[in-house]
Amino acid sequence: MTLAAAVTTQVEPAIAVHHLQKSYGPVAALKGIDFAVQRGEIFGLIGPDGAGKTTAFQILAGVMAATAGEVKVLGSHPRQARLQLGYVTQRFSLYSDLSIEENMRYSAGLRQIPEAEFLVRSQQLLERVNLHRFRQRLAGQLSGGMKQKLALCCALVSQPAVLLLDEPTTGVDPVSRREFWDLLAAVAAEGVTVIAATPYLDEAERCSRIALIYEGEIQQLGTLADLRQSLGLRRIEVRAAPLAPAEMALSQSGQNIVDIQPFGDRLDVMVTDAEAGEQQIRAVLAQQGLPLKALRQDEPTLENVFVHRLRQQGLDPPYLDFPAYRSGKEKGGIAIATQGLQKTFGDFQAVKNLDITVRYGDIYGLLGANGAGKTTTIKMLCGLLPASGGTMQLAGETSNLNRPEVRSRIGYMSQKFTLYDDLTILQNLEFYCGVYGVPRQLRQEKIGWVLTTCGLKGRENTLTGSLPGGWKQRVAFGASVMHEPDILFLDEPTSGVDPLARRQFWRLIRDFARRGTAVLVTTHYLEEAENCNDMAFMVAGQIVAQGSPSAIKADQPGQLIELVCSPVQAASNLLKSRLQDWRVSIFGDRLHLVLDDPDRELGAIQQWLRGAQIDVQSARPIPFSLEDAFIGIVQRAEQL
């Protein structure tokens, strides 16, 4: 090889996409997208269901032809590079009736990996993801997080040069998600090029570079710092009481304030100038006689960037007030209460002595890892599962909770879609109007509200099964509230939904709560869990923490430290060898460390790193996120 050829090889991107287009008949799934991924990079293709991510991945993997444009993977046509690709599809590519080891052996066989190499590689990979103790367990018996880890191991067993991950962590709990992304960082540090699609904007911040994709077009591309800087705004967290009047007063004050997003116990206010914005917020709240509890400036989130970009293009969906005909329940009364609630399946205790209280007008979050018992709890409260012990109160009733007169006061949006795929959207909505007893004279107006709010006006005769998952979620939510329930159960309601629609979801949920509806919600998207007034963290069927989002974060022992160092993977490996794994996590080009006594520990940590020739550029305390708090609580509870 000549020197010129060697230089060319070094600078050639692992993936190059130029004006890529894909159409399905009259529908344009990709509208001329351009991006390049460098070798050893973690590149994020970020967008909601229906944005075009899966279509792009299928073209990159060589399983689908493009309509137009050019794609090169490792300098070749995707079909010619397939033996050097690892591909984790959105739908699990595992065989449920094969064991963990048998699934990996099958994947290795497809790539003609020699037996001796397979044994070494499979053991190393399974140890890295903590699956080595379960080699003989059937894939069908694994949790969602374990399945995703196994799918990743199957893709990595052939030591691919490029790894394609299509929404690898959707529906996976925060603990497994963090472990998954730490493994991706380690894989990338070994030279593997990773391109990952995800709708979770918080985890996208772990990517080296990010492309925001929406309706087949890339809206923006760059590093997280680039995207934040391009926004030109600052975020101010405001805690005031009461929150709704504070939001109203600030939204009418104009000047520096660009956007206000309410959460459970705070407002996120986007301003053009941080200092002027802070002064304005203080002045407005003082003028209205609204006490200001706390105020803090921070960087904008990736969701702030994405939402602002979409709004600039006029893509914000219309917001219509719900056509309510009932006055709603009086706030403050007990809607849901459990004492010592238990559920046992054979020898397995899924729910252990659960005590929660949800009042009318409150949004209560039930959070936990996969298998923690959240969905089982909801099914018991809805009368779909009998309890094994304890007491329940639902809408003032304590027995026979599955009676029609009780169920008519409940709205339930399940984790698995409650819609019928072989019915049209309109037929589904008409069916649920009948099931929930919506008066005939009100049905047309209610159905019209759902279709308009979901952006599906004119598409009501489309088969529901043909909709992307995020759009199904919108329709399922509408179906669950048309009868104006007093109590609303939402099990993972916004999975795959775009940022604008997610905000609309939560605005609607808050509106129902303001009218007195009690809302019990589960979610793995912890950034949106901040919308809850109160929440409980479940671990192995029992509650380990309860309170408001702010209180739970404030109660965390120790301090979260952001450490900027290079090389970051070497720093992570060193610190995980000396600290508990969960205390160290990679976020892009920096580490997050949870330290119980930073004044004592941080100096020693910096000495360890410098002794290993790792450059420490900065270390600063940062506030705990709800994800940091959740992982800390779960890991500490599991060690007891």
Side-chain angles (χ1 to χ4, degrees):
M1 179 184 293
T2 66
L3 179 60
V7 171
T8 301
T9 302
Q10 288 176 354
V11 299
E12 183 179 36
I15 296 174
V17 174
H18 178 65
H19 204 60
L20 179 61
Q21 300 178 50
K22 179 63 182 180
S23 297
Y24 302 97
V27 178
L30 295 174
K31 305 173 183 176
I33 63 173
D34 298 89
F35 64 87
V37 184
Q38 304 306 316
R39 295 173 189 260
E41 184 177 29
I42 300 180
F43 186 87
L45 193 61
I46 313 303
D49 286 353
K53 305 187 302 296
T54 297
T55 298
F57 272 64
Q58 290 175 338
I59 294 171
L60 290 173
V63 299
M64 178 188 289
T67 304
E70 183 182 15
V71 178
K72 283 193 174 183
V73 177
L74 301 173
S76 305
H77 187 279
R79 286 185 179 276
Q80 297 171 329
R82 281 192 294 184
L83 288 179
Q84 298 180 72
L85 294 180
Y87 183 22
V88 177
T89 61
Q90 196 174 116
R91 305 289 178 190
F92 289 126
S93 52
L94 304 174
Y95 292 93
S96 297
D97 54 351
L98 296 183
S99 68
I100 286 177
E101 182 172 354
E102 288 168 339
N103 268 285
M104 288 194 69
R105 190 179 296 279
Y106 175 76
S107 296
L110 291 177
R111 302 302 179 95
Q112 299 180 336
I113 306 299
E115 178 67 11
E117 289 185 32
F118 165 74
L119 292 174
V120 173
R121 292 182 197 172
S122 63
Q123 182 65 22
Q124 291 174 341
L125 286 168
L126 292 175
E127 285 180 357
R128 290 173 77 170
V129 297
N130 261 338
L131 290 179
H132 58 287
R133 294 171 292 148
F134 313 108
R135 296 179 72 104
Q136 303 311 314
R137 183 176 295 184
L138 295 181
Q141 298 174 352
L142 302 177
S143 70
M146 294 170 80
K147 284 180 179 177
Q148 293 290 49
K149 291 177 185 178
L150 175 56
L152 179 60
C153 288
C154 290
L156 289 173
V157 73
S158 63
Q159 294 185 319
V162 173
L163 183 60
L164 304 175
L165 303 169
D166 191 3
E167 297 200 7
T169 60
T170 296
V172 174
D173 68 81
V175 175
S176 295
R177 266 188 18 225
R178 180 166 287 192
E179 291 173 349
F180 195 93
W181 278 92
D182 281 354
L183 177 57
L184 290 187
V187 166
E190 293 166 3
V192 178
T193 302
V194 179
I195 175 167
T198 176
Y200 293 106
L201 293 174
D202 56 344
E203 74 177 14
E205 297 185 3
R206 299 168 180 265
C207 298
S208 312
R209 286 188 306 131
I210 301 156
L212 304 178
I213 185 170
Y214 189 82
E215 293 188 350
E217 296 181 290
I218 289 182
Q219 306 292 321
Q220 210 164 353
L221 192 154
T223 65
L224 177 60
D226 292 337
L227 298 180
R228 281 174 167 167
Q229 188 173 5
S230 71
L231 184 61
L233 301 174
R234 290 287 293 179
R235 181 168 64 92
I236 301 179
E237 291 186 3
V238 177
R239 286 173 172 80
L243 206 61
E247 179 188 357
M248 179 67 71
L250 291 173
S251 66
Q252 296 173 349
S253 64
Q255 297 177 4
N256 289 306
I257 295 176
V258 175
D259 182 39
I260 301 175
Q261 184 180 8
F263 286 96
D265 57 357
R266 76 168 201 267
L267 300 173
D268 269 15
V269 182
M270 302 300 296
V271 297
T272 54
D273 181 277
E275 299 306 321
E278 184 174 327
Q279 292 175 12
Q280 180 182 347
I281 290 167
R282 292 182 184 278
V284 169
L285 296 183
Q287 186 178 13
Q288 297 295 321
L290 298 169
L292 177 62
K293 294 181 179 179
L295 186 149
R296 185 176 69 87
Q297 296 182 24
D298 204 349
E299 295 276 5
T301 65
L302 189 56
E303 179 168 314
N304 296 141
V305 176
F306 207 168
V307 165
H308 189 71
R309 178 74 177 185
L310 296 178
R311 282 180 171 170
Q312 284 179 323
Q313 300 176 57
L315 295 172
D316 211 356
Y319 185 82
L320 299 179
D321 287 329
F322 179 75
Y325 287 87
R326 296 176 52 212
S327 58
K329 300 291 287 187
E330 185 177 347
K331 295 180 184 179
I334 294 178
I336 303 167
T338 70
Q339 287 188 322
L341 185 63
Q342 300 178 41
K343 181 60 186 178
T344 303
F345 299 97
D347 295 331
F348 175 65
Q349 194 169 8
V351 176
K352 308 171 185 175
N353 299 314
L354 192 76
D355 296 337
I356 62 171
T357 300
V358 184
R359 299 184 180 276
Y360 289 111
D362 278 354
I363 303 172
Y364 190 95
L366 199 57
L367 312 178
N370 289 332
K374 306 183 301 297
T375 299
T376 300
T377 298
I378 287 181
K379 287 182 176 179
M380 285 191 287
L381 290 171
C382 289
L384 300 175
L385 270 179
S388 303
T391 62
M392 293 183 291
Q393 178 182 331
L394 183 68
E397 305 289 340
T398 57
S399 61
N400 298 324
L401 301 183
N402 59 350
R403 286 179 294 136
E405 54 267 37
V406 177
R407 295 179 71 171
S408 67
R409 299 162 67 184
I410 295 170
Y412 178 37
M413 179 180 170
S414 74
Q415 192 174 38
K416 303 298 181 186
F417 298 120
T418 49
L419 305 173
Y420 294 92
D421 283 351
D422 54 350
L423 296 182
T424 66
I425 297 167
L426 181 59
Q427 287 169 336
N428 265 294
L429 294 175
E430 288 173 338
F431 171 77
Y432 278 100
C433 278
V435 168
Y436 283 127
V438 176
R440 288 191 177 277
Q441 66 271 23
L442 303 181
R443 292 183 184 183
Q444 186 174 351
E445 182 182 13
K446 301 269 191 179
I447 290 173
W449 174 83
V450 175
L451 293 172
T452 303
T453 297
C454 295
L456 292 169
K457 202 77 172 175
R459 297 178 61 187
E460 50 264 48
N461 293 317
T462 302
L463 281 179
T464 307
S466 67
L467 291 175
W471 290 85
K472 283 186 184 178
Q473 294 286 71
R474 301 186 198 192
V475 179
F477 176 80
S480 70
V481 300
M482 286 191 295
H483 62 300
E484 303 179 43
D486 295 332
I487 300 172
L488 183 58
F489 293 96
L490 302 172
D491 199 3
E492 302 283 346
T494 64
S495 179
V497 175
D498 72 76
L500 289 174
R502 184 181 293 119
R503 285 200 178 190
Q504 189 181 63
F505 254 100
W506 280 100
R507 185 175 174 185
L508 289 167
I509 292 169
R510 286 191 296 271
D511 282 353
F512 277 99
R514 286 168 185 158
R515 282 197 294 270
T517 301
V519 182
L520 180 64
V521 61
T522 74
T523 179
H524 283 145
Y525 193 74
L526 290 180
E527 190 173 40
E528 78 173 9
E530 302 257 11
N531 285 284
C532 300
N533 304 113
D534 285 291
M535 58 183 58
F537 286 176
M538 289 185 72
V539 176
Q542 56 190 343
I543 290 176
V544 295
Q546 282 197 78
S548 69
S550 293
I552 287 176
K553 288 185 287 187
D555 287 345
Q556 291 310 293
Q559 176 66 59
L560 183 64
I561 301 294
E562 180 188 77
L563 190 70
V564 180
C565 54
S566 179
V568 70
Q569 186 62 50
S572 174
N573 294 342
L574 173 63
L575 295 181
K576 284 189 174 186
S577 71
R578 303 197 180 193
L579 304 173
Q580 293 164 301
D581 274 9
W582 65 270
R583 293 181 179 273
V584 184
S585 189
I586 295 177
F587 278 74
D589 62 350
R590 58 203 60 202
L591 292 178
H592 282 192
L593 306 178
V594 178
L595 303 180
D596 289 335
D597 187 355
D599 290 339
R600 178 179 59 83
E601 296 173 273
L602 191 54
I605 286 171
Q606 290 175 319
Q607 283 186 353
W608 297 342
L609 295 173
R610 289 177 177 130
Q613 279 70 56
I614 294 171
D615 179 34
V616 179
Q617 299 161 32
S618 66
R620 67 182 182 109
I622 57 176
F624 279 99
S625 69
L626 203 54
E627 179 185 301
D628 295 310
F630 176 85
I631 289 172
I633 289 169
V634 169
Q635 296 288 355
R636 287 186 175 99
E638 289 179 346
Q639 291 165 12
L640 295 177

